[in-house]
Amino acid sequence: LRNEMTVIQGHAEVIADRSDDEQITSSAASVLDSGDRLLATGEKAREFERLREREVRVDRVDITRLLSRLVEDFEVEHPDATIDLDVPTAPVTVETDDRILSLVVSGLLENALVHTNPGPHVRVSLTAVADGSATGEIRIRDDGPGISASELQPIVNGRETAVGHGTGIGLWIVSWGLSILGGDIELTSDDEGTEARVRL
Protein backbone atom coordinates (compact mmCIF):
# COMPACT_ATOMS: atom_id res chain seq x y z
CA LEU A 1 0.00 0.00 0.00
CA ARG A 2 2.76 2.42 0.98
CA ASN A 3 4.83 1.73 -2.15
CA GLU A 4 1.90 2.13 -4.54
CA MET A 5 0.68 5.29 -2.80
CA THR A 6 4.17 6.78 -3.01
CA VAL A 7 4.04 6.36 -6.80
CA ILE A 8 0.50 7.81 -6.99
CA GLN A 9 1.38 10.79 -4.83
CA GLY A 10 4.61 11.41 -6.73
CA HIS A 11 2.71 11.66 -10.02
CA ALA A 12 0.03 13.86 -8.43
CA GLU A 13 2.74 16.26 -7.21
CA VAL A 14 4.25 16.43 -10.72
CA ILE A 15 0.81 17.17 -12.20
CA ALA A 16 0.18 19.90 -9.62
CA ASP A 17 3.61 21.50 -10.17
CA ARG A 18 3.44 21.54 -13.97
CA SER A 19 -0.12 22.71 -14.47
CA ASP A 20 -1.44 26.25 -14.42
CA ASP A 21 -5.03 25.01 -14.66
CA GLU A 22 -6.73 25.62 -11.32
CA GLN A 23 -9.11 22.68 -11.76
CA ILE A 24 -6.25 20.27 -12.48
CA THR A 25 -4.17 21.46 -9.50
CA SER A 26 -7.26 21.15 -7.30
CA SER A 27 -7.80 17.58 -8.50
CA ALA A 28 -4.14 16.76 -7.87
CA ALA A 29 -4.48 18.14 -4.33
CA SER A 30 -7.50 15.88 -3.78
CA VAL A 31 -5.44 12.86 -4.91
CA LEU A 32 -2.68 13.82 -2.46
CA ASP A 33 -5.14 14.24 0.41
CA SER A 34 -6.75 10.87 -0.29
CA GLY A 35 -3.31 9.28 -0.46
CA ASP A 36 -2.39 10.72 2.93
CA ARG A 37 -5.58 9.28 4.44
CA LEU A 38 -4.96 5.84 2.92
CA LEU A 39 -1.38 5.80 4.20
CA ALA A 40 -2.57 6.79 7.69
CA THR A 41 -5.16 3.99 7.61
CA GLY A 42 -2.52 1.48 6.55
CA GLU A 43 -0.18 2.62 9.33
CA LYS A 44 -2.93 2.26 11.94
CA ALA A 45 -3.74 -1.24 10.70
CA ARG A 46 -0.07 -2.23 10.77
CA GLU A 47 0.46 -0.91 14.30
CA PHE A 48 -2.62 -2.75 15.56
CA GLU A 49 -1.54 -5.96 13.80
CA ARG A 50 1.87 -5.76 15.51
CA LEU A 51 0.20 -5.42 18.91
CA ARG A 52 -2.37 -8.13 18.19
CA GLU A 53 0.28 -10.68 17.24
CA ARG A 54 2.26 -10.29 20.44
CA GLU A 55 1.25 -11.63 23.85
CA VAL A 56 -0.90 -9.26 25.91
CA ARG A 57 1.46 -7.79 28.51
CA VAL A 58 -0.45 -6.94 31.65
CA ASP A 59 1.13 -4.52 34.10
CA ARG A 60 -0.16 -2.09 36.69
CA VAL A 61 -0.66 1.04 34.62
CA ASP A 62 -1.16 4.54 35.99
CA ILE A 63 -3.95 5.80 33.71
CA THR A 64 -3.53 9.34 35.04
CA ARG A 65 0.05 9.46 33.76
CA LEU A 66 -0.85 7.71 30.48
CA LEU A 67 -3.59 10.27 29.71
CA SER A 68 -1.33 13.20 30.60
CA ARG A 69 1.37 11.93 28.24
CA LEU A 70 -1.05 11.36 25.36
CA VAL A 71 -2.72 14.76 25.78
CA GLU A 72 0.69 16.47 25.71
CA ASP A 73 1.58 14.62 22.49
CA PHE A 74 -1.70 15.58 20.81
CA GLU A 75 -1.36 19.22 21.90
CA VAL A 76 1.95 19.34 20.00
CA GLU A 77 0.44 17.64 16.91
CA HIS A 78 -2.69 19.83 16.96
CA PRO A 79 -1.64 23.31 18.15
CA ASP A 80 -4.98 24.82 17.04
CA ALA A 81 -6.91 22.51 19.39
CA THR A 82 -7.90 23.04 23.02
CA ILE A 83 -7.62 19.86 25.07
CA ASP A 84 -8.77 20.03 28.70
CA LEU A 85 -7.54 17.25 31.01
CA ASP A 86 -9.44 16.48 34.20
CA VAL A 87 -7.86 13.69 36.23
CA PRO A 88 -7.72 12.93 39.96
CA THR A 89 -4.66 14.10 41.88
CA ALA A 90 -4.13 10.55 43.19
CA PRO A 91 -3.04 7.95 40.61
CA VAL A 92 -5.74 5.71 39.15
CA THR A 93 -4.17 2.36 38.30
CA VAL A 94 -5.47 -0.66 36.42
CA GLU A 95 -4.04 -4.03 35.43
CA THR A 96 -3.84 -3.74 31.63
CA ASP A 97 -1.58 -3.62 28.56
CA ASP A 98 -0.42 -0.02 28.34
CA ARG A 99 0.48 -0.12 24.61
CA ILE A 100 -2.95 -1.36 23.58
CA LEU A 101 -4.66 1.09 25.93
CA SER A 102 -2.52 3.91 24.49
CA LEU A 103 -3.60 2.89 20.97
CA VAL A 104 -7.28 2.91 22.03
CA VAL A 105 -7.12 6.35 23.68
CA SER A 106 -5.04 7.77 20.80
CA GLY A 107 -7.66 6.53 18.33
CA LEU A 108 -10.45 8.25 20.24
CA LEU A 109 -8.46 11.49 20.62
CA GLU A 110 -7.55 11.54 16.95
CA ASN A 111 -11.17 10.91 15.99
CA ALA A 112 -12.28 13.79 18.23
CA LEU A 113 -9.69 16.21 16.82
CA VAL A 114 -9.60 15.35 13.12
CA HIS A 115 -13.34 15.13 12.54
CA THR A 116 -14.13 18.39 14.31
CA ASN A 117 -14.28 21.92 12.93
CA PRO A 118 -11.10 24.06 12.97
CA GLY A 119 -10.05 24.93 16.51
CA PRO A 120 -11.61 21.84 18.14
CA HIS A 121 -12.27 21.67 21.86
CA VAL A 122 -11.87 18.27 23.50
CA ARG A 123 -12.28 17.33 27.16
CA VAL A 124 -10.55 14.25 28.55
CA SER A 125 -11.51 13.10 32.02
CA LEU A 126 -10.79 10.14 34.26
CA THR A 127 -12.87 8.80 37.11
CA ALA A 128 -11.90 6.05 39.53
CA VAL A 129 -14.65 3.42 39.72
CA ALA A 130 -15.20 1.22 42.75
CA ASP A 131 -18.25 -0.84 41.79
CA GLY A 132 -16.40 -4.13 41.21
CA SER A 133 -17.07 -4.21 37.45
CA ALA A 134 -14.38 -1.69 36.52
CA THR A 135 -11.51 0.28 38.02
CA GLY A 136 -11.52 3.38 35.86
CA GLU A 137 -13.63 5.29 33.38
CA ILE A 138 -12.13 7.52 30.69
CA ARG A 139 -14.37 10.08 28.98
CA ILE A 140 -13.43 11.92 25.80
CA ARG A 141 -15.88 14.62 24.72
CA ASP A 142 -15.60 16.80 21.60
CA ASP A 143 -17.64 19.67 20.16
CA GLY A 144 -17.75 18.32 16.61
CA PRO A 145 -20.66 17.46 14.32
CA GLY A 146 -21.18 14.00 15.83
CA ILE A 147 -20.65 10.53 14.39
CA SER A 148 -23.23 9.39 11.88
CA ALA A 149 -25.29 6.26 12.49
CA SER A 150 -23.79 4.74 9.33
CA GLU A 151 -20.32 4.94 10.94
CA LEU A 152 -21.43 3.49 14.27
CA GLN A 153 -23.75 0.70 13.11
CA PRO A 154 -21.06 -1.61 11.67
CA ILE A 155 -19.13 -1.35 14.96
CA VAL A 156 -22.28 -2.20 16.94
CA ASN A 157 -23.05 -5.10 14.58
CA GLY A 158 -19.46 -6.32 14.70
CA ARG A 159 -19.13 -6.57 10.93
CA GLU A 160 -19.24 -4.57 7.72
CA THR A 161 -21.21 -5.31 4.57
CA ALA A 162 -21.12 -3.96 1.02
CA VAL A 163 -23.76 -1.38 1.93
CA GLY A 164 -23.07 -0.97 5.65
CA HIS A 165 -19.49 0.09 6.35
CA GLY A 166 -17.49 2.90 7.91
CA THR A 167 -15.08 5.26 6.19
CA GLY A 168 -12.03 4.48 8.33
CA ILE A 169 -10.40 1.95 10.62
CA GLY A 170 -9.99 4.07 13.78
CA LEU A 171 -13.18 3.01 15.59
CA TRP A 172 -12.54 -0.63 14.66
CA ILE A 173 -9.11 -0.49 16.31
CA VAL A 174 -10.70 1.05 19.41
CA SER A 175 -13.31 -1.73 19.48
CA TRP A 176 -10.81 -4.53 18.86
CA GLY A 177 -8.34 -3.12 21.39
CA LEU A 178 -10.94 -2.91 24.14
CA SER A 179 -12.09 -6.42 23.32
CA ILE A 180 -8.52 -7.67 23.91
CA LEU A 181 -8.30 -5.68 27.18
CA GLY A 182 -11.70 -6.80 28.45
CA GLY A 183 -12.96 -3.22 28.54
CA ASP A 184 -16.02 -1.68 26.96
CA ILE A 185 -17.06 1.56 25.33
CA GLU A 186 -20.23 3.59 25.14
CA LEU A 187 -20.52 6.22 22.41
CA THR A 188 -23.13 8.96 22.47
CA SER A 189 -23.27 11.39 19.60
CA ASP A 190 -25.47 14.32 18.58
CA ASP A 191 -25.12 17.60 16.71
CA GLU A 192 -23.33 19.14 19.72
CA GLY A 193 -20.54 16.57 19.73
CA THR A 194 -19.54 13.04 20.65
CA GLU A 195 -18.65 11.48 23.98
CA ALA A 196 -16.78 8.20 24.34
CA ARG A 197 -16.92 6.48 27.74
CA VAL A 198 -14.32 3.76 28.13
CA ARG A 199 -14.53 1.47 31.17
CA LEU A 200 -11.52 -0.60 32.15
Side-chain angles (χ1 to χ4, degrees), residues 153 164 200:
Q153 202 57 49
L200 302 166

Side-chain angles (χ1 to χ4, degrees), residues 36-65:
D36 287 340
R37 287 194 295 272
L38 279 174
L39 287 172
T41 297
E43 186 56 38
K44 288 176 194 172
R46 192 170 67 155
E47 173 66 11
F48 181 76
E49 191 67 14
R50 281 197 295 261
L51 292 180
R52 193 177 68 85
E53 287 175 347
R54 88 194 213 296
E55 292 285 328
V56 175
R57 297 171 187 168
V58 176
D59 292 303
R60 181 160 290 280
V61 177
D62 181 352
I63 315 174
T64 309
R65 183 177 298 172

Side-chain angles (χ1 to χ4, degrees), residues 8-193:
I8 291 168
Q9 289 187 305
H11 283 287
E13 287 172 355
V14 169
I15 291 168
D17 289 342
R18 296 190 180 180
S19 176
D20 294 326
D21 187 311
E22 193 173 308
Q23 188 172 358
I24 290 175
T25 56
S26 176
S27 292
S30 294
V31 172
L32 288 167
D33 289 344
S34 292
D36 287 340
R37 287 194 295 272
L38 279 174
L39 287 172
T41 297
E43 186 56 38
K44 288 176 194 172
R46 192 170 67 155
E47 173 66 11
F48 181 76
E49 191 67 14
R50 281 197 295 261
L51 292 180
R52 193 177 68 85
E53 287 175 347
R54 88 194 213 296
E55 292 285 328
V56 175
R57 297 171 187 168
V58 176
D59 292 303
R60 181 160 290 280
V61 177
D62 181 352
I63 315 174
T64 309
R65 183 177 298 172
L66 182 144
L67 290 178
S68 298
R69 174 175 54 81
L70 290 177
V71 166
E72 285 179 10
D73 291 345
F74 274 88
E75 284 176 331
V76 172
E77 292 176 24
H78 300 270
D80 64 324
T82 301
I83 308 175
D84 296 330
L85 180 63
D86 180 14
V87 295
T89 52
V92 176
T93 60
V94 63
E95 296 281 343
T96 192
D97 185 310
D98 67 332
R99 285 191 62 193
I100 296 177
L101 179 58
S102 293
L103 195 63
V104 166
V105 174
S106 293
L108 291 170
L109 272 170
E110 184 176 344
N111 201 64
L113 291 166
V114 171
H115 298 291
T116 304
N117 298 324
H121 184 207
V122 177
R123 184 172 185 271
V124 180
S125 62
L126 171 65
T127 306
V129 180
D131 63 3
S133 64
T135 54
E137 181 178 82
I138 300 167
R139 293 189 184 200
I140 298 175
R141 172 84 191 180
D142 65 53
D143 61 350
I147 304 175
S148 69
S150 61
E151 288 285 333
L152 291 177
Q153 202 57 49
I155 307 293
V156 172
N157 293 341
R159 65 187 181 92
E160 293 188 334
T161 66
V163 293
H165 57 83
T167 57
I169 196 171
L171 288 178
W172 279 112
I173 289 176
V174 168
S175 178
W176 294 331
L178 285 171
S179 179
I180 291 172
L181 297 178
D184 61 70
I185 185 169
E186 179 183 338
L187 286 166
T188 56
S189 191
D190 55 35
D191 56 6
E192 293 184 356

